[in-house]
Amino acid sequence: MTRISSKQASPRQRRRPSAVTIHDVAARAGVSVATVSRVINRKALVREETSRHVLAVAQSMKYVPNVAARSLSIRRSHTIGVVLPDVHGDFFSEVIRGIDSAARKASFHILVSGSHSDRNEMLEVLDAMHGRVDALIVMAPDVSIAALNEQLPSNLPLVLLNSTAADRDTLTIDNYGGAAAMMAHLYALGHRRIAFIKGPHANADARERLRGYRTFARRDASMQTRELEGDFTEHSGYDAVRSALGAGRMPQAIFAANDSMAVGAMSALAEAGLTVPGDVAISGFDDIPIARFVAPPLTTIRVDIEELGRRAFETVFLAIDQPVRRRPVRERLPTSLIVRKSCGAHIHQSNPVERQQIRRRNA
Amino acid sequence: MTRISSKQASPRQRRRPSAVTIHDVAARAGVSVATVSRVINRKALVREETSRHVLAVAQSMKYVPNVAARSLSIRRSHTIGVVLPDVHGDFFSEVIRGIDSAARKASFHILVSGSHSDRNEMLEVLDAMHGRVDALIVMAPDVSIAALNEQLPSNLPLVLLNSTAADRDTLTIDNYGGAAAMMAHLYALGHRRIAFIKGPHANADARERLRGYRTFARRDASMQTRELEGDFTEHSGYDAVRSALGAGRMPQAIFAANDSMAVGAMSALAEAGLTVPGDVAISGFDDIPIARFVAPPLTTIRVDIEELGRRAFETVFLAIDQPVRRRPVRERLPTSLIVRKSCGAHIHQSNPVERQQIRRRNA
DNA sequence: CTGTTAGCGCGTTCAC
DNA sequence: GTGAACGCGCTAACAG
């Protein structure tokens, strides 16, 4: 009995008025749902004419595929989850921007969750994302990693940002190299008493920057180091300088683990009547937008956070539908030294003569 | 025939190994899927003992409900979409933070999409979110609103941020009032030649701030106004001052439509050898974190963006499942004047005597 | 090329 | 209290 379902309208409308479905379009276009599906998804071959007709009908009925149904069927949500800790300011927005722009090109959506202070909270969110996303981009303090590995279904593609874990894809910034480069720059400028304003101890980036500072500082016996506490906020940079002001000889240069603290430090210095770079040189890390607009402009290490986000998306995107567990991707994004006036005359690192003059002047 | 389905395992595993489903739990616990569902959702009454047992089994099997299936069934995704234009820096992160924190409390997820420069791009995204979200929080230039209203299913709860549209819920910042308050402050300080650095023309906030400036400036014949172009970036603030420097008499005060431009302006002033507030007073809008750490600290209008995000979520959340179309919510968030040193000595608005002295000094 | 049909995993009447 | 069975809207075989 090839009963053509002609009175389709009645069995519907059981609950809400509901949106127009693939069945409605099929009925109206006089084809089967399969054909409509094929047209919509451009899968398989459909006669050009049929295709146009279906498309026209769908358009006229304002048909929009139900994503939940599709996800259920193909087991894919075309969405990736992004979970970040409690980061503020530009970092957050830029990394999201990077991920979002890359995701949009691939027609992916991003489900974000930010500001997770404690581990349990983060794990809870991770759990809730299960099934909702095809892959995950996670930034977490190292301490969470172990628990994370157990919690997460190991078949879910995942890339870790700025933290390390064997057996997982990771994407990091070359914090160590950047810090070392900055120290080399300050050293070349003639500075020997260089203080460092640290970031939060729990932060992996902060630790690596500190390591760069320490390692370089140990390379020369004439170096006098000093470490000031900080937590990446402007205020902590301000406080760090205040404390330094009241304790012993001032350093010739202050290297802050991030730009925000450098700005805070400059503020404290200005308040104390000290000039930059005349009395003390200042440098930061990140190259946030205002870095070049403070007075004097801040010498810093540029980090392309947006690029980090883009790479993160690309990494997980490639991992989706890759059942074979290859060896983890471990990429480290480069940083670059941006020389501005806060550390003395503008010199090019590549010009040893000029460097010599500066060194003498600063001696 | 009460055939207990004992050999459940075979019909499964047709495609991927697939995660554990409600059927698996039911079979293992020796109950029906309906019961498991009831236990998981705490709906209907289930015998305490049965409930505990099912829960235990589910836990042991690491059962996680499939959200796609649930969404399909209950027609609800527990997700809200957030669509923002191309905003940078703190605004973006703070509004997301606000929405996210409120959403998490309600067990909602947020699907974000940012940096939409043109209208079509935004409409595309809006379209793609259809079915994926239960409600929408949208920030768009006014120009899009008309198209937006047509595009969006009118039954989808939606709140507009910083833009207006009849018949839609809107949440705005009191930009006009804030700008007027700042003008009153500068006026009280004795300033009469006050320049204004404008924001992007397409931006509703920028327009309102400009309106506040103009309206107040017209209240006194002694006022001399001047409008400088800007686009909310530090660089444009810098450029605005550079252009002013080369054209006629410098204003006594410069009121930037946002803090970023104020910072850029200060940078240009410092470069030109002008002091703040000695030679020219500077004020901004937003109270971004670095505002108090530039030298001198910036007088500004505080805007609580995170709160804006929280309110936005609450507004749409309340609208979900509210079939009755009440009259639109139109809320306007207050702003407050933060007096710092960039406009002269620190004075309290409430102290007329002090204000008098300042006025005389500035005369 | 196109139609039929069986799931995808879960919520939900309606009997029992 | 609990279970059987249907439907949510769509994709993917499998037939034709």
Side-chain angles (χ1 to χ4, degrees):
Chain A
M1 301 273 179
T2 44
R3 240 183 325 121
I4 306 287
S5 47
S6 50
K7 42 186 195 294
Q8 197 90 346
S10 44
R12 189 152 301 290
Q13 72 196 44
R14 179 157 311 214
R15 304 180 183 186
R16 251 156 293 190
S18 175
V20 26
T21 77
I22 197 172
H23 285 97
D24 304 330
V25 178
R28 192 89 121 65
V31 298
S32 74
V33 293
T35 298
V36 176
S37 175
R38 285 192 273 261
V39 170
I40 299 294
N41 299 299
R42 285 157 173 57
K43 287 283 187 71
L45 288 319
V46 179
R47 192 158 28 115
E48 175 61 24
E49 190 190 320
T50 315
S51 178
R52 255 205 308 279
H53 177 56
V54 170
L55 237 30
V57 172
Q59 200 104 60
S60 79
M61 297 179 78
K62 287 176 190 272
Y63 166 67
V64 180
N66 179 310
V67 291
R70 173 178 289 171
S71 296
L72 180 58
S73 191
I74 67 178
R75 289 142 170 275
R76 201 106 287 172
S77 61
H78 270 50
T79 301
I80 66 162
V82 178
V83 4
L84 265 25
D86 197 15
V87 287
H88 279 261
D90 296 303
F91 183 91
F92 184 89
S93 43
E94 284 184 36
V95 71
I96 296 284
R97 183 184 312 276
I99 296 172
D100 186 41
S101 77
R104 204 173 319 152
K105 278 182 194 141
S107 296
F108 262 64
H109 289 258
I110 72 180
L111 203 57
V112 327
S113 186
S115 57
H116 300 284
S117 36
D118 69 88
R119 196 181 72 184
N120 287 336
E121 198 184 15
M122 184 172 267
L123 290 177
E124 226 168 72
V125 170
L126 249 19
D127 203 58
M129 281 192 172
H130 182 331
R132 232 175 264 272
V133 301
D134 295 339
L136 237 28
I137 293 177
V138 177
M139 181 167 161
D142 280 354
V143 289
S144 319
I145 304 298
L148 210 102
N149 265 320
E150 292 187 16
Q151 197 79 6
L152 264 26
S154 59
N155 57 354
L156 188 65
L158 160 71
V159 58
L160 254 19
L161 253 37
N162 295 13
S163 47
T164 57
D167 208 40
R168 290 292 195 182
D169 290 353
T170 60
L171 219 48
T172 53
I173 298 286
D174 183 17
N175 291 298
Y176 176 82
M182 179 60 82
M183 288 298 286
H185 175 64
L186 295 174
Y187 186 90
L189 249 28
H191 299 299
R192 292 297 176 273
R193 289 199 315 281
I194 307 176
F196 185 76
I197 307 182
K198 300 189 281 189
H201 297 92
N203 186 295
D205 294 314
R207 279 200 305 274
E208 281 297 282
R209 292 173 189 184
L210 174 59
R211 192 166 68 84
Y213 166 75
R214 285 179 177 167
T215 303
F216 191 94
R218 266 202 301 270
R219 294 221 300 234
D220 189 323
S222 67
M223 295 287 280
Q224 289 176 40
T225 66
R226 182 152 164 197
E227 294 174 12
L228 275 15
E229 296 300 319
D231 63 5
F232 274 176
T233 64
E234 287 89 355
H235 201 94
S236 71
Y238 178 90
D239 288 343
V241 166
R242 297 285 296 175
S243 73
L245 245 23
R249 198 172 172 198
M250 272 305 275
Q252 297 165 326
I254 295 175
F255 176 16
N258 79 347
D259 288 348
S260 296
M261 294 197 294
V263 172
M266 285 178 60
S267 162
L269 251 17
E271 240 183 58
L274 293 175
T275 67
V276 174
D279 294 317
V280 32
I282 292 264
S283 68
F285 207 116
D286 285 348
D287 196 28
I288 60 179
I290 34 93
R292 71 173 66 192
F293 291 102
V294 287
L298 191 63
T299 287
T300 185
I301 298 292
R302 181 194 297 281
V303 173
D304 193 341
I305 301 299
E306 194 171 331
E307 174 67 11
L308 178 70
R310 271 193 296 268
R311 304 305 309 251
F313 176 78
E314 280 158 19
T315 305
V316 290
F317 182 66
L318 255 38
I320 296 177
D321 275 326
Q322 293 285 334
V324 42
R325 193 133 183 75
R326 15 79 302 176
R327 95 180 209 291
V329 172
R330 331 195 67 82
E331 197 174 347
R332 185 184 304 280
L333 263 59
T335 57
S336 56
L337 175 66
I338 306 294
V339 178
R340 300 209 185 92
K341 300 188 178 169
S342 72
C343 288
H346 180 103
I347 63 163
H348 301 288
Q349 272 207 297
S350 50
N351 185 335
V353 179
E354 225 176 354
R355 207 149 61 214
Q356 194 75 28
Q357 299 173 334
I358 301 282
R359 194 173 314 177
R360 227 173 280 131
R361 191 189 324 150
N362 275 286
Chain B
M1 301 270 181
T2 44
R3 237 183 329 119
I4 305 289
S5 47
S6 49
K7 43 186 193 294
Q8 197 89 345
S10 43
R12 188 151 300 291
Q13 72 195 44
R14 178 156 313 215
R15 303 179 183 188
R16 253 156 294 189
S18 175
V20 27
T21 78
I22 197 171
H23 284 96
D24 303 329
V25 178
R28 193 88 121 66
V31 298
S32 73
V33 294
T35 298
V36 176
S37 175
R38 284 191 275 260
V39 170
I40 299 294
N41 299 299
R42 286 156 173 59
K43 287 281 184 73
L45 287 319
V46 179
R47 189 155 32 110
E48 175 61 24
E49 190 190 318
T50 314
S51 178
R52 254 205 308 279
H53 178 54
V54 170
L55 237 30
V57 172
Q59 199 104 61
S60 79
M61 297 179 79
K62 288 175 187 269
Y63 166 68
V64 180
N66 179 312
V67 292
R70 172 178 286 167
S71 298
L72 180 58
S73 191
I74 65 180
R75 288 141 173 276
R76 199 104 288 172
S77 62
H78 269 52
T79 300
I80 65 161
V82 178
V83 179
L84 265 23
D86 197 15
V87 287
H88 279 262
D90 296 303
F91 183 91
F92 183 88
S93 43
E94 284 184 36
V95 71
I96 296 284
R97 184 184 310 277
I99 296 171
D100 186 41
S101 75
R104 204 171 321 151
K105 278 182 195 142
S107 298
F108 262 64
H109 289 257
I110 72 180
L111 204 57
V112 327
S113 187
S115 55
H116 300 283
S117 36
D118 69 89
R119 195 182 72 184
N120 287 337
E121 200 184 12
M122 183 172 268
L123 290 177
E124 227 167 70
V125 170
L126 248 18
D127 203 60
M129 281 192 171
H130 182 332
R132 236 174 261 273
V133 301
D134 295 339
L136 237 28
I137 293 177
V138 177
M139 181 166 164
D142 279 354
V143 289
S144 319
I145 304 297
L148 211 99
N149 264 319
E150 292 187 16
Q151 196 81 6
L152 264 26
S154 59
N155 57 355
L156 188 64
L158 161 71
V159 58
L160 253 21
L161 253 35
N162 295 15
S163 47
T164 57
D167 208 39
R168 289 293 195 183
D169 290 352
T170 60
L171 219 48
T172 54
I173 297 287
D174 184 17
N175 291 299
Y176 176 82
M182 180 60 82
M183 288 299 286
H185 175 64
L186 295 173
Y187 186 91
L189 250 27
H191 298 300
R192 290 298 176 273
R193 292 199 313 281
I194 307 177
F196 184 77
I197 306 181
K198 300 190 280 189
H201 297 94
N203 185 295
D205 293 313
R207 280 201 304 276
E208 281 298 282
R209 292 173 191 186
L210 174 60
R211 192 166 68 84
Y213 165 75
R214 285 179 177 165
T215 304
F216 191 93
R218 267 202 300 271
R219 294 222 298 235
D220 188 324
S222 68
M223 295 287 280
Q224 290 177 39
T225 67
R226 180 153 166 199
E227 295 174 11
L228 275 13
E229 297 300 320
D231 63 5
F232 275 175
T233 64
E234 287 90 354
H235 202 93
S236 71
Y238 177 90
D239 287 343
V241 166
R242 297 285 297 176
S243 73
L245 245 22
R249 196 172 173 201
M250 272 305 275
Q252 297 165 325
I254 295 176
F255 177 16
N258 79 347
D259 288 348
S260 296
M261 295 196 295
V263 171
M266 285 178 59
S267 162
L269 252 16
E271 241 184 57
L274 261 37
T275 67
V276 175
D279 295 317
V280 32
I282 291 266
S283 68
F285 208 115
D286 286 347
D287 195 27
I288 59 179
I290 35 94
R292 71 174 64 193
F293 290 103
V294 287
L298 192 63
T299 286
T300 185
I301 298 292
R302 181 195 297 281
V303 174
D304 192 342
I305 301 301
E306 195 172 330
E307 174 68 11
L308 178 71
R310 272 192 296 268
R311 303 306 308 250
F313 176 78
E314 279 156 19
T315 305
V316 291
F317 183 65
L318 255 38
I320 296 177
D321 277 325
Q322 293 284 334
V324 41
R325 192 137 183 74
R326 7 87 297 178
R327 96 180 209 290
V329 172
R330 331 196 68 82
E331 197 174 346
R332 187 184 303 280
L333 263 58
T335 57
S336 55
L337 175 66
I338 306 294
V339 178
R340 299 209 186 92
K341 301 188 178 168
S342 73
C343 288
H346 180 104
I347 65 163
H348 299 289
Q349 272 206 295
S350 49
N351 185 337
V353 179
E354 226 175 354
R355 206 149 60 215
Q356 195 75 30
Q357 300 174 333
I358 302 283
R359 194 173 314 177
R360 228 173 280 130
R361 192 188 324 151
N362 276 287

